[in-house]
Amino acid sequence: MSAVVNSATASTRVRHLATVTRELKKTGLYDFHVENGAKMVPFAGYSMPLSYGNVGAVASHDHVRESVGLFDVGHMVQSNFRGPTATAFLEWLTPSSLSALSPYSSTLSVLLNEKGGIIDDTVITKHAEDAYYVVTNAGRRDRDLAWFKGRVALWNTGEKAKQFGPVDHEVLEGWGLLALQGPEAAQYLQGLTSFDLHGLTFGKSAFMPIEGFNLHVARGGYTGEDGFEISIPPSETVKVAKLLSKQPVQLTGLGARDSLRLEAGMCLYGQDLDEDTTPVEAGLSWVIGKERRETGDFIGAESVIQHLKDGPPRRRVGLIVEGAPARQGAQIYTPSREFIGTVTSGIPSPTLGKNVAMGYVQSGWHKKGTEVEVDVRNKLRKAVLTSMPFVKTRYYRG
């Protein structure tokens, strides 16, 4: 399949998260993208770059796997939570063991509703016992911010806050967020900073000088490659983007971002996660701290702990599909034509040359190596369940 066709297909995939009933928002790099030949598309309420110039999604994907790419993820919501009870507050909102995190360490986590469903997935970085940096999804902005506002107000009227102090929530409006991703990302960034990046392993962060700017840099990302996510004040975003986009760095859009994240087994909220899915069903049980399972002192704990104890009714799985790619909504059947689940994400993998997909199937049919069939455009295609990530991750762990 040509890169041009792949870009068009990617455009179709990302548009489902667009907010078409109101004017699209713009990140601080909108003009920068246009100047660099970006094809802009609606995504999660924002106008975002799908691709740049005549570089197709597959070529961009391959460049990130082989060298280094730069992504604008400034549409994401960046927040600070501060206060003497910030740890206890965030441990109420999530099932993670944040009290066990060391300073400047991060963890993937989930915000849960009262039924244990996932309101959003999030990355939480602990700066100190009373200070956290939290990144949430753009497509869930209104839901998340309303949830935070309501929970903070409720928490601050409670006994812990009255005894030890309240929590304050600050949204970093207009701040930039850039993801520098790929096997050559560290070498490139090291040329711009005196900070020794060898000491910054996956899941760690630090404030560091980058050519005169003092920026928060977290080692990690959404592609499965080594990389960094860099938070930038509004007035400096364009300058830093220009600094980080020189050769061999290639500007990379949503088309490649989607295929990279799926190869890495990463979930996309709204497709692979929603408020009717618990973290146990989603294969995210590892974000639930051991002691949290015992105390159950987080929102939605009853349903989550029940799923941990008895097993969930369905489970997220990976599939290799023969013949044609299975897209979101494709139904999954047993070889005897019994319906058992649905595909939530699917692509032709540029790296593997195979059709990969992610979805949910009934428990009991989730074991690796299980053969199933997937309805792709009214034709049943053979598929086999496989472990994720589909492409081995290359995070830097020191």
Side-chain angles (χ1 to χ4, degrees):
M1 185 178 294
S2 72
V4 174
V5 173
N6 269 329
S7 288
T9 304
S11 178
T12 300
R13 285 202 303 274
V14 300
R15 284 177 188 273
H16 81 283
L17 284 180
T19 305
V20 296
T21 56
R22 61 189 181 194
E23 185 177 354
L24 293 172
K25 298 179 180 134
K26 299 175 181 179
T27 73
L29 292 176
Y30 177 86
D31 291 339
F32 173 82
H33 297 314
V34 173
E35 290 167 5
N36 281 277
K39 178 182 179 181
M40 306 301 288
V41 298
F43 180 80
Y46 281 78
S47 181
M48 297 294 291
L50 176 70
S51 58
Y52 294 84
N54 60 1
V55 182
V58 171
S60 290
H61 175 111
D62 291 342
H63 189 82
V64 174
R65 287 275 181 252
E66 297 163 4
S67 183
V68 54
L70 184 70
F71 302 79
D72 177 14
V73 286
H75 60 313
M76 307 284 276
V77 182
Q78 302 176 69
S79 295
N80 285 323
F81 288 88
R82 298 188 182 95
T85 55
T87 297
F89 172 73
L90 289 173
E91 285 192 335
W92 177 50
L93 262 59
T94 76
S96 298
S97 295
L98 303 178
S99 55
L101 274 183
S102 57
Y104 289 92
S105 295
S106 304
T107 183
L108 176 70
S109 191
V110 286
L111 301 172
L112 300 178
N113 62 28
E114 289 86 351
K115 296 180 180 179
I118 300 172
I119 294 174
D120 202 0
D121 58 316
T122 177
V123 175
I124 299 176
T125 301
K126 184 179 193 175
H127 287 164
E129 286 296 333
D130 60 352
Y132 289 83
Y133 167 66
V134 177
V135 178
T136 51
N137 286 302
R140 301 295 285 168
R141 180 186 180 92
D142 292 345
R143 173 70 164 114
D144 290 346
L145 293 184
W147 182 253
F148 286 146
K149 182 178 180 180
R151 298 315 99 181
V152 166
L154 187 60
W155 179 266
N156 285 342
T157 61
E159 289 304 315
K160 280 190 177 180
K162 288 180 180 179
Q163 183 175 358
F164 300 106
V167 168
D168 174 67
H169 175 218
E170 174 194 17
V171 181
L172 299 176
E173 293 287 6
W175 279 57
L177 190 63
L178 288 169
L180 189 70
Q181 298 282 294
E184 296 182 10
Q187 180 181 351
Y188 184 87
L189 186 60
Q190 189 64 81
L192 302 173
T193 181
S194 59
F195 186 96
D196 184 3
L197 295 177
H198 289 97
L200 192 74
T201 54
F202 177 76
K204 302 293 184 180
S205 65
F207 284 94
M208 65 180 68
I210 299 178
E211 293 287 286
F213 302 102
N214 185 43
L215 303 174
H216 184 267
V217 178
R219 198 155 196 167
Y222 199 48
T223 64
E225 297 292 337
D226 182 25
F228 307 87
E229 293 199 343
I230 303 164
S231 180
I232 314 162
S235 62
E236 301 173 355
T237 302
V238 175
K239 295 175 185 177
V240 175
K242 290 179 178 178
L243 186 66
L244 295 175
S245 57
K246 299 174 183 177
Q247 289 294 329
V249 178
Q250 190 175 89
L251 296 176
T252 314
L254 292 170
R257 182 174 179 257
D258 190 52
S259 55
L260 289 161
R261 71 91 189 168
L262 184 48
E263 285 187 347
M266 302 286 191
C267 295
L268 176 63
Y269 196 95
Q271 286 188 202
D272 311 303
L273 302 174
D274 57 35
E275 293 211 36
D276 294 319
T277 302
T278 72
V280 184
E281 292 175 309
L284 299 175
S285 296
W286 60 271
V287 307
I288 309 167
K290 182 179 178 181
E291 73 280 3
R292 309 303 311 283
R293 304 177 187 208
E294 297 171 358
T295 59
D297 54 353
F298 57 90
I299 295 171
E302 185 177 354
S303 296
V304 171
I305 292 173
Q306 194 68 40
H307 278 188
L308 286 170
K309 180 181 177 182
D310 300 333
R314 61 188 183 125
R315 297 175 187 266
R316 182 168 64 93
V317 296
L319 304 98
I320 301 292
V321 185
E322 292 184 10
R327 304 294 188 183
Q328 180 188 18
Q331 295 186 331
I332 305 170
Y333 295 88
T334 69
S336 60
R337 308 296 192 270
E338 176 190 354
F339 172 75
I340 55 170
T342 305
V343 169
T344 54
S345 291
I347 57 163
S349 164
T351 304
L352 300 177
K354 300 177 181 179
N355 300 313
V356 301
M358 183 189 297
Y360 287 82
V361 297
Q362 293 176 15
S363 287
W365 285 95
H366 63 282
K367 301 293 176 61
K368 177 183 175 182
T370 298
E371 295 181 353
V372 297
E373 294 186 345
V374 182
D375 185 348
V376 181
R377 297 178 182 174
N378 299 317
K379 183 175 181 179
L380 289 176
R381 304 280 186 173
K382 290 185 179 180
V384 61
L385 270 58
T386 185
S387 57
M388 293 183 286
F390 300 103
V391 174
K392 186 177 180 181
T393 57
R394 296 194 286 185
Y395 302 128
Y396 175 71
R397 301 187 185 276

Coordinates of all heavy atoms in Angstrom, one line a residue, residues 62-92:
D62 N 8.7 4.8 9.6 CA 10.0 4.1 9.5 C 11.1 5.0 10.0 O 12.1 4.5 10.6 CB 10.3 3.7 8.0 CG 9.3 2.6 7.6 OD1 8.8 1.9 8.4 OD2 9.2 2.4 6.3
H63 N 11.0 6.3 9.8 CA 12.1 7.2 10.2 C 12.2 7.3 11.7 O 13.3 7.3 12.3 CB 11.8 8.7 9.7 CG 12.9 9.6 9.9 ND1 14.0 9.7 9.1 CD2 13.2 10.5 10.9 CE1 14.9 10.6 9.5 NE2 14.4 11.1 10.6
V64 N 11.0 7.2 12.4 CA 11.1 7.2 13.9 C 11.7 5.9 14.4 O 12.4 5.9 15.3 CB 9.6 7.4 14.4 CG1 9.6 7.2 16.0 CG2 9.1 8.8 14.1
R65 N 11.3 4.8 13.7 CA 11.9 3.5 14.1 C 13.4 3.4 13.9 O 14.1 2.8 14.6 CB 11.2 2.3 13.4 CG 9.8 2.1 13.8 CD 9.7 1.1 15.0 NE 8.4 0.8 15.4 CZ 7.8 1.3 16.5 NH1 8.4 2.1 17.3 NH2 6.5 1.0 16.8
E66 N 13.9 4.1 12.9 CA 15.3 4.0 12.5 C 16.1 5.2 12.9 O 17.3 5.0 13.1 CB 15.4 3.9 10.9 CG 14.7 2.7 10.4 CD 14.4 2.8 8.9 OE1 14.8 3.8 8.3 OE2 13.8 1.9 8.3
S67 N 15.5 6.4 13.1 CA 16.3 7.6 13.5 C 15.7 8.4 14.6 O 15.7 8.0 15.7 CB 16.5 8.4 12.2 OG 17.3 9.5 12.4
V68 N 15.0 9.5 14.3 CA 14.3 10.3 15.3 C 13.3 11.2 14.7 O 13.5 11.8 13.6 CB 15.4 11.1 16.1 CG1 16.3 12.0 15.2 CG2 14.7 12.0 17.1
G69 N 12.1 11.3 15.3 CA 11.1 12.1 14.9 C 10.6 13.0 16.0 O 10.8 12.7 17.2
L70 N 9.9 14.1 15.6 CA 9.4 15.1 16.6 C 7.9 15.2 16.4 O 7.4 15.5 15.4 CB 10.1 16.5 16.4 CG 9.7 17.5 17.4 CD1 10.3 17.2 18.8 CD2 10.2 18.9 17.0
F71 N 7.2 15.1 17.5 CA 5.7 15.1 17.6 C 5.3 16.3 18.4 O 5.8 16.5 19.5 CB 5.1 13.8 18.2 CG 5.5 12.6 17.5 CD1 6.7 12.0 17.7 CD2 4.6 11.9 16.7 CE1 7.1 10.8 17.1 CE2 4.9 10.7 16.1 CZ 6.1 10.1 16.3
D72 N 4.2 17.0 17.9 CA 3.6 18.0 18.7 C 2.5 17.3 19.5 O 1.5 16.8 18.9 CB 3.0 19.1 17.8 CG 2.2 20.1 18.6 OD1 2.3 20.2 19.9 OD2 1.5 20.9 18.0
V73 N 2.6 17.2 20.8 CA 1.5 16.7 21.7 C 1.0 17.7 22.6 O 0.6 17.5 23.7 CB 2.0 15.4 22.4 CG1 2.1 14.2 21.4 CG2 3.3 15.6 23.1
G74 N 1.1 19.0 22.2 CA 0.7 20.1 23.0 C -0.8 20.2 23.2 O -1.3 21.1 23.9
H75 N -1.6 19.4 22.5 CA -3.0 19.3 22.7 C -3.4 18.6 24.0 O -4.5 18.7 24.5 CB -3.7 18.6 21.5 CG -3.3 17.2 21.3 ND1 -2.0 16.8 21.2 CD2 -4.0 16.1 21.0 CE1 -1.9 15.5 21.0 NE2 -3.1 15.1 20.9
M76 N -2.4 17.8 24.5 CA -2.6 17.1 25.8 C -2.8 18.2 26.9 O -2.3 19.3 26.8 CB -1.5 16.2 26.1 CG -1.1 15.2 25.0 SD -2.3 13.8 24.9 CE -1.6 12.8 26.1
V77 N -3.5 17.7 28.0 CA -3.7 18.6 29.1 C -2.6 18.4 30.2 O -2.5 17.3 30.7 CB -5.1 18.4 29.7 CG1 -5.3 19.4 30.9 CG2 -6.2 18.5 28.7
Q78 N -1.9 19.4 30.5 CA -0.8 19.4 31.5 C -1.3 20.1 32.8 O -1.9 21.2 32.7 CB 0.4 20.0 31.0 CG 1.0 19.4 29.7 CD 2.2 20.2 29.2 OE1 3.3 20.2 29.8 NE2 2.1 20.9 28.1
S79 N -1.1 19.4 33.9 CA -1.6 20.0 35.2 C -0.6 19.8 36.3 O 0.2 18.9 36.2 CB -2.9 19.2 35.6 OG -4.0 19.5 34.8
N80 N -0.7 20.7 37.3 CA 0.1 20.5 38.5 C -0.9 20.3 39.7 O -2.0 21.0 39.7 CB 0.9 21.7 38.8 CG 2.2 21.8 37.9 OD1 2.8 20.8 37.6 ND2 2.5 23.0 37.5
F81 N -0.7 19.4 40.5 CA -1.4 19.2 41.8 C -0.4 19.4 42.9 O 0.6 18.8 43.0 CB -2.0 17.8 41.9 CG -3.2 17.6 40.9 CD1 -3.0 17.1 39.6 CD2 -4.5 17.8 41.3 CE1 -4.0 16.9 38.8 CE2 -5.6 17.6 40.5 CZ -5.3 17.2 39.2
R82 N -0.8 20.4 43.8 CA 0.1 20.7 44.9 C -0.7 20.7 46.2 O -1.9 21.0 46.2 CB 0.8 22.0 44.7 CG 1.6 22.1 43.5 CD 2.4 23.4 43.5 NE 3.3 23.6 42.3 CZ 2.9 24.2 41.2 NH1 1.7 24.8 41.1 NH2 3.7 24.4 40.2
G83 N 0.0 20.5 47.3 CA -0.6 20.6 48.6 C -0.1 19.4 49.5 O 0.3 18.4 49.0
P84 N -0.2 19.6 50.8 CA 0.3 18.6 51.7 C -0.4 17.2 51.6 O 0.1 16.2 52.1 CB 0.1 19.2 53.1 CG -0.8 20.4 52.9 CD -0.7 20.8 51.5
T85 N -1.6 17.2 51.0 CA -2.4 15.9 50.9 C -2.5 15.6 49.4 O -3.4 14.8 49.0 CB -3.8 16.0 51.5 OG1 -4.5 17.2 51.0 CG2 -3.7 16.2 53.0
A86 N -1.6 16.1 48.6 CA -1.7 15.8 47.1 C -1.5 14.3 46.8 O -2.2 13.7 46.0 CB -0.6 16.6 46.4
T87 N -0.6 13.6 47.6 CA -0.4 12.2 47.3 C -1.7 11.4 47.7 O -2.2 10.6 46.9 CB 0.8 11.6 48.2 OG1 2.0 12.3 47.8 CG2 0.9 10.1 48.0
A88 N -2.2 11.7 48.8 CA -3.5 11.0 49.3 C -4.6 11.3 48.3 O -5.4 10.4 48.0 CB -3.8 11.4 50.7
F89 N -4.7 12.5 47.8 CA -5.8 12.9 46.9 C -5.7 12.1 45.6 O -6.7 11.5 45.1 CB -5.7 14.4 46.6 CG -6.6 14.8 45.5 CD1 -8.0 14.9 45.8 CD2 -6.2 15.2 44.3 CE1 -8.9 15.3 44.7 CE2 -7.0 15.6 43.3 CZ -8.4 15.6 43.5
L90 N -4.5 12.1 45.0 CA -4.3 11.4 43.7 C -4.4 9.8 43.9 O -4.8 9.1 43.0 CB -3.0 11.7 43.1 CG -3.0 13.2 42.5 CD1 -1.5 13.5 42.1 CD2 -4.0 13.4 41.4
E91 N -4.1 9.4 45.1 CA -4.3 7.9 45.3 C -5.8 7.6 45.5 O -6.2 6.4 45.5 CB -3.5 7.5 46.5 CG -2.0 7.3 46.2 CD -1.2 6.6 47.3 OE1 -1.7 6.6 48.5 OE2 -0.2 6.0 47.0
W92 N -6.6 8.6 45.8 CA -8.1 8.4 45.8 C -8.6 8.4 44.4 O -9.5 7.6 44.1 CB -8.7 9.6 46.7 CG -10.2 9.6 46.7 CD1 -11.0 8.5 47.1 CD2 -11.0 10.7 46.5 NE1 -12.3 8.9 47.1 CE2 -12.4 10.3 46.7 CE3 -10.8 12.0 46.2 CZ2 -13.5 11.1 46.6 CZ3 -11.9 12.9 46.1 CH2 -13.2 12.4 46.3

